[in-house]
Amino acid sequence: MLQILFYIAITAEAMTAALAAGRRKMDWFGVCLLACVTALGGGTMRDTFLDHYPLYWVGNPYVLLLVCGAALFTIIIARVMDRLRWAFLALDALGLVVFTIVGCNVAMEINAHPLIVIVSGMVTGIVGGILRDVLCNDVPLVFRSELYATVSIVTGAIYYFGAMTDINRDILIIIAVAIGFPLRMVALWRKWEMPKFVYDKDL
Amino acid sequence: MLQILFYIAITAEAMTAALAAGRRKMDWFGVCLLACVTALGGGTMRDTFLDHYPLYWVGNPYVLLLVCGAALFTIIIARVMDRLRWAFLALDALGLVVFTIVGCNVAMEINAHPLIVIVSGMVTGIVGGILRDVLCNDVPLVFRSELYATVSIVTGAIYYFGAMTDINRDILIIIAVAIGFPLRMVALWRKWEMPKFVYDKDL
Amino acid sequence: MLQILFYIAITAEAMTAALAAGRRKMDWFGVCLLACVTALGGGTMRDTFLDHYPLYWVGNPYVLLLVCGAALFTIIIARVMDRLRWAFLALDALGLVVFTIVGCNVAMEINAHPLIVIVSGMVTGIVGGILRDVLCNDVPLVFRSELYATVSIVTGAIYYFGAMTDINRDILIIIAVAIGFPLRMVALWRKWEMPKFVYDKDL
């Protein structure tokens, strides 16, 4: 089940990246490259941190074709994209939660410290979007937007502590998604934000 | 022969980076650092992705001196640089093609999947320039410019499929360079570009 | 002793990052994340380059809590921060020197080439600040500011050549700090800078 959710999540991330590329007037190649960095960058950084080789996409190179295909498909359907806004944000939220669970799994397999399990989930969930924003020359949205990283941390914590118990793994995944996903959607809808730190003096 | 071409390519990349640094009014140290990141960043990222250690420059540290030397030499000859514009673009195109071949070689040595061989060549060829542009706070040129990445993919594909046959390796390198290099130069000259994806709605 | 200096340095780096985050109006999570990247990014990149696993913070995850704690504490005391300007710059300079020594140590333990020892110290000392500036969408300060990287190189060279002799390691650390730290402070005070390379033609 996680496998299916994972491919949906990768596709959703690739599509958000393609739209970001379009806003920067990139060419088709740039669209594909930005999609790959966004969809696979989080997992790549996690695996580099944990020395977990081969990287997912090196072992399963066809995922590169899936990502590029999703990105190019987005170019075709861009015209109707704004009418799909909420479907799209929902897919992106699902992607965040699923990537987090996948990242926690990888760290738990190598018996990492609980803090590292949470960080591993968070890196997998949010780094792709950070790289996308850096390559588009923006201050990453995740540093300022609605509970994005918080959702990842909450989901990771639920998943980690759930896995301590003897709950069936598939049921645990459903529980984690059923909490993390609506949390993100409600945060988007109600514009919940973390308090901001504003400092305007030069050092 | 690849070795000689490789040093020429590294030198050319270091010099383009030095000029980019000069446009940002960096100090001499910044010039050297940006040159190292540009000339060695692609290979470093490829080796990190493929878990291929030690990194090239860690095993051959004198290449760092070559890169810094080329960068500082560029400061001296900057005055005549604009008269050398085409010689310079030609060296940069040669660098792209040679880096691609080197990157494919590394992946083929560890028997990677054909898709990964192409990606390995492309990462080696284009990532240095992307890092240079990010550090200079630009949207990377490769996402928008004339067939840069496409040349890398074409060169990599020729090299990979050529290596399947029993063509002599040096002759194969000459063939790959003889196709990839003019392709890039003609693309620059005729301003060939990939179609662009323009999307101007907010998500 | 190096251990104590190291924790002071990490705390100082986390605090500079928190102030940078405040200038970009990031939320509390963004403040913590930027602090982690700044304080631990240099060491992480060094360990990735040298294939030195597990990463420091993966093996000692409580350092993540220290960094986040220092960052959040900075939010509380931000009001008095500008009166502490010089204390703060001093801590940052100490951090640079100590990170450099730690980075040299790691490379010396694996018997790296002298050039790589110096580079390892420099990467550990300056990469955190570069990543902080890239994520804040600035051209990294280190490419232009007062002898930052030069101090790291000088400190690394002293430490490396000192370790060739039979000087006691703790005394050597004191010597390296006693030269590198005042060098940075005097450079700040007298506004010493490297010569700049200014090039204003398009390629």
Side-chain angles (χ1 to χ4, degrees):
Chain A
M1 187 178 66
L2 195 56
Q3 199 66 13
I4 295 168
L5 288 173
F6 181 61
Y7 285 121
I8 294 174
I10 280 186
T11 307
E13 295 294 310
M15 292 175 84
T16 59
L19 293 184
R23 253 169 276 146
R24 296 282 163 176
K25 303 184 176 46
M26 290 185 187
D27 64 27
W28 291 4
F29 167 78
V31 171
C32 288
L33 186 57
L34 198 71
C36 287
V37 170
T38 307
L40 306 171
T44 298
M45 190 164 282
R46 174 203 65 219
D47 288 345
T48 305
F49 285 168
L50 299 178
D51 201 21
H52 178 259
Y53 286 96
L55 301 183
Y56 180 73
W57 55 269
V58 173
N60 302 274
Y62 294 110
V63 76
L64 296 169
L65 298 182
L66 172 67
V67 170
C68 292
L72 295 175
F73 181 68
T74 309
I75 297 180
I76 299 171
I77 62 163
R79 204 172 304 240
V80 295
M81 216 66 196
D82 51 327
R83 259 173 280 164
L84 300 172
R85 191 179 130 85
W86 278 97
F88 205 72
L89 289 176
L91 279 177
D92 183 59
L94 187 64
L96 171 65
V97 174
V98 172
F99 275 21
T100 300
I101 294 173
V102 170
C104 291
N105 258 341
V106 170
M108 282 156 65
E109 270 164 31
I110 59 168
N111 293 313
H113 185 278
L115 268 174
I116 298 301
V117 172
I118 306 289
V119 170
S120 171
M122 202 181 68
V123 166
T124 313
I126 72 174
V127 164
I130 294 177
L131 294 175
R132 179 194 62 213
D133 294 343
V134 168
L135 288 176
C136 287
N137 202 9
D138 292 320
V139 174
L141 256 182
V142 68
F143 292 157
R144 299 194 283 198
S145 71
E146 296 91 347
L147 297 195
Y148 205 81
T150 313
V151 168
S152 180
I153 293 171
V154 169
T155 306
I158 291 167
Y159 189 73
Y160 178 77
F161 290 110
M164 302 274 94
T165 67
D166 52 2
I167 300 175
N168 172 285
R169 197 54 69 98
D170 276 356
I171 293 174
L172 178 58
I173 292 170
I174 292 171
I175 293 173
V177 172
I179 296 175
F181 176 72
L183 180 61
R184 168 74 180 149
M185 293 310 286
V186 173
L188 270 175
W189 174 43
R190 309 292 301 180
K191 296 199 186 304
W192 284 346
E193 295 191 354
M194 292 273 284
K196 292 208 163 41
F197 171 42
V198 179
Y199 181 77
D200 50 14
K201 284 164 196 137
D202 267 352
L203 187 56
Chain B
M1 188 179 64
L2 196 55
Q3 200 66 13
I4 295 169
L5 288 174
F6 181 61
Y7 286 120
I8 295 174
I10 280 186
T11 307
E13 295 294 311
M15 293 175 83
T16 59
L19 293 184
R23 253 169 276 146
R24 296 281 163 176
K25 302 183 176 48
M26 292 183 185
D27 65 27
W28 291 5
F29 167 78
V31 172
C32 288
L33 187 56
L34 197 71
C36 287
V37 170
T38 306
L40 306 171
T44 298
M45 189 164 283
R46 175 203 63 220
D47 288 346
T48 305
F49 285 169
L50 299 179
D51 201 21
H52 179 259
Y53 286 96
L55 301 183
Y56 180 74
W57 55 269
V58 173
N60 301 275
Y62 294 110
V63 77
L64 296 170
L65 299 182
L66 172 67
V67 170
C68 291
L72 295 175
F73 180 67
T74 308
I75 297 180
I76 299 172
I77 62 162
R79 203 172 304 242
V80 295
M81 216 65 197
D82 52 326
R83 259 175 279 165
L84 299 173
R85 189 179 131 87
W86 278 97
F88 204 71
L89 289 175
L91 279 177
D92 183 59
L94 187 65
L96 171 65
V97 174
V98 172
F99 275 21
T100 300
I101 293 172
V102 170
C104 291
N105 258 340
V106 170
M108 281 156 65
E109 270 164 31
I110 59 169
N111 292 313
H113 186 279
L115 269 174
I116 298 302
V117 172
I118 306 289
V119 170
S120 171
M122 202 182 70
V123 166
T124 313
I126 72 174
V127 164
I130 294 177
L131 294 175
R132 180 195 60 211
D133 294 343
V134 168
L135 288 176
C136 287
N137 202 9
D138 291 321
V139 174
L141 256 182
V142 68
F143 293 156
R144 298 194 284 198
S145 71
E146 296 92 345
L147 298 194
Y148 205 81
T150 313
V151 168
S152 182
I153 293 171
V154 169
T155 306
I158 291 167
Y159 189 73
Y160 178 77
F161 290 110
M164 301 276 94
T165 68
D166 51 4
I167 300 175
N168 172 284
R169 198 53 70 97
D170 276 356
I171 293 174
L172 179 57
I173 292 171
I174 292 171
I175 293 173
V177 171
I179 296 176
F181 175 72
L183 181 60
R184 168 75 179 148
M185 293 310 286
V186 172
L188 271 174
W189 174 44
R190 308 292 301 180
K191 297 200 185 302
W192 283 346
E193 295 190 355
M194 293 273 283
K196 292 210 162 41
F197 170 42
V198 179
Y199 182 78
D200 49 14
K201 286 166 195 133
D202 268 350
L203 187 56
Chain C
M1 187 178 67
L2 195 56
Q3 199 65 14
I4 295 168
L5 288 173
F6 181 61
Y7 286 121
I8 294 174
I10 280 186
T11 307
E13 295 294 311
M15 293 175 84
T16 59
L19 292 184
R23 254 169 278 151
R24 296 280 163 176
K25 302 183 175 48
M26 291 184 186
D27 65 27
W28 291 5
F29 167 77
V31 172
C32 288
L33 187 56
L34 198 70
C36 287
V37 170
T38 306
L40 306 171
T44 298
M45 189 163 284
R46 175 203 64 220
D47 288 346
T48 305
F49 285 168
L50 299 179
D51 201 21
H52 179 258
Y53 286 95
L55 301 183
Y56 180 74
W57 54 269
V58 173
N60 301 275
Y62 294 110
V63 76
L64 296 170
L65 299 182
L66 172 67
V67 170
C68 291
L72 296 175
F73 180 68
T74 308
I75 297 180
I76 300 171
I77 63 162
R79 203 171 304 239
V80 295
M81 216 64 196
D82 51 327
R83 260 174 280 165
L84 298 173
R85 189 179 132 86
W86 278 98
F88 204 72
L89 289 175
L91 279 176
D92 183 58
L94 187 65
L96 172 65
V97 174
V98 172
F99 275 21
T100 299
I101 294 173
V102 170
C104 290
N105 258 341
V106 170
M108 281 156 66
E109 271 164 30
I110 59 168
N111 292 313
H113 185 280
L115 269 173
I116 298 302
V117 172
I118 306 289
V119 170
S120 171
M122 201 182 69
V123 166
T124 312
I126 72 173
V127 164
I130 294 177
L131 293 175
R132 179 194 61 211
D133 293 343
V134 168
L135 288 175
C136 288
N137 203 9
D138 291 321
V139 173
L141 255 183
V142 67
F143 292 156
R144 299 194 282 197
S145 71
E146 296 92 348
L147 297 195
Y148 205 81
T150 312
V151 168
S152 180
I153 294 171
V154 169
T155 307
I158 291 167
Y159 188 73
Y160 178 77
F161 290 111
M164 301 276 95
T165 68
D166 51 3
I167 301 174
N168 172 284
R169 197 53 70 96
D170 276 357
I171 292 174
L172 179 57
I173 292 171
I174 291 171
I175 293 173
V177 172
I179 296 176
F181 175 73
L183 180 60
R184 167 76 180 148
M185 293 310 286
V186 173
L188 271 175
W189 175 44
R190 309 292 300 182
K191 296 200 186 303
W192 284 346
E193 295 191 354
M194 292 273 284
K196 291 208 164 41
F197 170 42
V198 179
Y199 180 78
D200 50 15
K201 285 166 195 135
D202 268 351
L203 186 57

